[in-house]
Amino acid sequence: MSIPENLQRGNFGSRLGFILAAAGSAIGLGNIWRFPYTAGQNGGGAFVLVYLACVILIGIPVMLGELSIGRATQRNPVGAFRVLAPGSAWPLVGALGVITGFGILAFYSVVAGWTVGYLYKAFMGQFGGDVTAEQSAAIFTEMIASPSAALLLTAIFLLLTVLVVRRGVSGGIEAAARVLMPVFFVLLLVLTLRAISLPGAMEGVRFMIDFDFSKITGAVAMSALGQALFSLSLGMGAMITFGSYLPRREGLAFSGVSVVFSDTLIALLAGFMIFPALFATGGDPTAGPGLVFVTMPTIFHSLPAGQLFGVAFYALLGIAALTSTISLLEVVVAYLVDQRNWNRNMACWVVGGLCFVLAVPSALGNGASNFWSGGEGSWLAMDFLSLQNIIWGNYSLSIGAILICLFVGWRWRVRASLEEIQTNGEPVPMFGLYGPLIRFICPLAVAAVLVFIIVTRQYF
Ligand code: PHE
């Protein structure tokens, strides 16, 4: 398909640049914040096993499906479905993705704001001494319950995101991701080695690898599936958008699988960093969203130059989160610019501003406001941030993933998608599995989990 001149878009400079930028989208709070606490709440090893199965059986095919849709059409998610299925309802799948991106950005930026707060704390030497688990928990609770801190930090993070996305894809995103992702990886490795060597750490390692099948329930499967999609930035068109910036000559299989592999590696590393440190200090794995924030300060002081490690950790985590929020905002902005002819700058400011409005209840829902925190007398089933996390992060992405699979498998057709994946003649190992996976196994598996959840009413 030839692309009209006016729709030619900024391309990534190289395959490595693309992989790092897409990995930058995938790697973020999903790996370091969401994965460990969700694993902790869902029994550890059993969850990890289902998560890995979801990554391989569902993550890889959906990743290749999304990238191929994006690259074939060179459009944002809505435009992409319009090109491939004109006059149909399929563009609504893209619209769901745009809305989901907005929904995720609105709570994600609150947690990303916490990393900025912690960067400040680490910089000021607040974690320098021997911080006990209780002290660490108190520091965290105090920060997130302060309305001014929570709102200010969220605003700072959204502002940073807007400032990068304004400049367009290859300028901001690629340049940042290129250098910082590898640095982050090395730092995580060092911290993981340190955590594992703490006295009492082995219990945490065991927690991660104790594959107890009897612990797998519908809720565990749903959380693992949602986590796999969330962590890989799948089910909402982020990878369609990234694929649209990829030059034609590149095959997609190697890039797509590299992103899946590096994202999963980082999540596992985070697990092997957090749980040993947690068990070594006698913490509770089911602590919830505060888990990483409470656990990490307890290991910095045990390192030489602990303060430096603390500062580096939060700075890099913040940047990893930023490369993810950039991709979330980019999906919404690309839609407004391409489909609605908005000016990029204006789209960034308007979406960023609206996002802040939706982020307010999530920012205040961690102790600042009883109602939004789901406290006594509030009719919210849980705090607003957790609720958003489940609605957009688990349900919306799962539904999006089913629809994307059905689209590739039954409407656009597997052959067309595979041709796009293999443009450079790069052989795709086991490509015979792609068709059956994307047509039957992925949509059925995701649908089965959703139906099971509804039947057993284990919604959360
Ligand atoms: N994958 C990102 C993370 O793990 C979050 C994200 C989800 C980004 C969906 C884009 C789209 O932090």
Side-chain angles (χ1 to χ4, degrees), residues 116-358:
V116 177
Y118 263 58
L119 173 60
Y120 175 77
K121 285 182 191 297
F123 192 75
M124 298 307 282
Q126 287 198 24
F127 309 128
D130 202 344
V131 185
T132 65
E134 289 82 46
Q135 285 165 336
S136 183
I139 294 177
F140 179 66
T141 315
E142 193 196 313
M143 183 183 80
I144 62 169
S146 150
S148 51
L151 290 174
L152 180 70
L153 294 170
T154 306
I156 292 177
F157 212 86
L158 277 171
L159 186 70
L160 288 173
T161 309
V162 165
L163 291 178
V164 179
V165 176
R166 273 177 72 218
R167 294 176 47 201
V169 171
S170 32
I173 307 181
E174 186 175 353
R178 210 172 236 282
V179 196
L180 292 162
M181 286 294 112
V183 179
F184 191 44
F185 180 76
V186 174
L187 179 75
L188 280 181
L189 206 57
V190 172
L191 290 173
T192 304
L193 291 176
R194 176 62 208 155
I196 290 184
S197 61
L198 289 170
M202 276 311 129
E203 210 186 320
V205 174
R206 244 174 271 130
F207 182 76
M208 278 282 290
I209 55 175
D210 134 53
F211 299 139
D212 179 351
F213 287 93
S214 67
K215 287 193 192 154
I216 302 176
T217 61
V220 169
M222 184 69 226
S223 312
L225 170 67
Q227 178 57 29
L229 295 172
F230 186 91
S231 190
L232 295 169
S233 306
L234 295 175
M236 52 146 291
M239 291 298 162
I240 296 182
T241 308
F242 270 109
S244 78
Y245 295 116
L246 201 61
R248 273 248 122 68
R249 63 193 131 83
E250 301 291 355
L252 297 175
F254 179 81
S255 302
V257 173
S258 307
V259 173
V260 172
F261 181 79
S262 50
D263 183 74
T264 308
L265 185 67
I266 299 266
L268 293 175
L269 259 186
F272 284 113
M273 172 178 78
I274 300 290
F275 289 112
L278 181 80
F279 281 90
T281 50
D284 170 17
T286 61
L291 188 67
V292 183
F293 291 94
V294 173
T295 307
M296 288 312 292
T298 62
I299 54 175
F300 295 134
H301 71 85
S302 70
L303 282 158
Q307 186 179 3
L308 190 69
F309 273 98
V311 171
F313 178 76
Y314 293 111
L316 288 163
L317 180 57
I319 291 161
L322 186 62
T323 53
S324 301
T325 53
I326 287 167
S327 71
L328 289 161
L329 181 60
E330 176 65 24
V331 170
V332 187
V333 167
Y335 162 73
L336 292 171
V337 171
D338 294 354
Q339 301 302 126
R340 309 247 156 216
N341 285 325
W342 282 39
N343 152 300
R344 177 171 266 274
N345 190 33
M346 186 170 87
C348 287
W349 287 111
V350 171
V351 177
L354 288 175
C355 215
F356 181 72
V357 175
L358 181 61

